[in-house]
Amino acid sequence: MNIEILYPGAFGFFLIIFYFVRLRQKNEILKNGIKTKGKVIDLSLDYSGQTRSYYPVVRFTLNDGTWMTEKYSVGTLPASFKTGEDVDLIYKLEDPTSFIITNKNSYIDKIFLIIGILLVFYSAYLFFAT
């Protein structure tokens, strides 16, 4: 048996797990978080091996009036946001660096799930077809 046919399935399984971890984090923030408005002040281009993604850097105020500037944990290519764009977000009271942008990117995590499922099925097809 050729072990390389299992690689897409393993990567797909990783993407599915990633989706459910992000979903859990998102639901926790939605349940206990505080809503505020922010502004994208920069786009950070990060490289991870052969992959590159644009991460929005967001500036927002906390309930006590403190200003926060944080890089969002979800990056995309092409960039999903523009510098100067207003965003709605929800942050954790106990950890304001952990936040989600609510007016965009709700579909990004679902794309990871769909790609993961497709890769698992593709790997299973290759496994059973040989």
Side-chain angles (χ1 to χ4, degrees):
M1 172 175 44
N2 188 356
I3 195 89
E4 287 84 22
I5 63 174
L6 298 179
Y7 291 158
F11 185 65
F13 187 69
F14 169 77
L15 289 177
I16 292 169
I17 289 176
F18 176 78
Y19 168 78
F20 283 109
V21 167
R22 294 275 308 164
L23 181 65
R24 182 173 171 222
Q25 291 171 342
K26 183 177 180 179
N27 287 338
E28 181 182 326
I29 292 174
L30 286 172
K31 186 172 83 172
N32 301 318
I34 298 174
K35 294 180 181 181
T36 190
K37 296 203 178 281
K39 184 176 284 284
V40 176
I41 61 168
D42 195 14
L43 294 174
S44 174
L45 178 59
D46 290 356
Y47 292 91
S48 175
Q50 300 283 359
T51 308
R52 61 185 176 154
S53 298
Y54 288 96
Y55 293 84
V57 178
V58 181
R59 185 165 170 88
F60 58 96
T61 57
L62 305 180
N63 271 357
D64 65 2
T66 305
W67 283 95
M68 294 286 299
T69 302
E70 291 294 325
K71 184 168 78 168
Y72 193 41
S73 62
V74 177
T76 59
L77 183 68
S80 295
F81 298 93
K82 296 177 183 170
T83 302
E85 184 175 350
D86 293 324
V87 293
D88 298 319
L89 58 95
I90 301 174
Y91 67 89
K92 288 172 104 175
L93 180 60
E94 62 277 1
D95 181 16
T97 63
S98 181
F99 65 93
I100 58 171
I101 297 174
T102 57
N103 56 336
K104 280 195 179 180
N105 281 345
S106 60
Y107 65 90
I108 297 291
D109 290 337
K110 290 180 181 103
I111 290 173
F112 283 112
L113 176 64
I114 291 168
I115 291 172
I117 290 170
L118 290 173
L119 286 172
V120 167
F121 280 128
Y122 176 69
S123 186
Y125 169 76
L126 292 177
F127 180 78
F128 292 113
T130 57

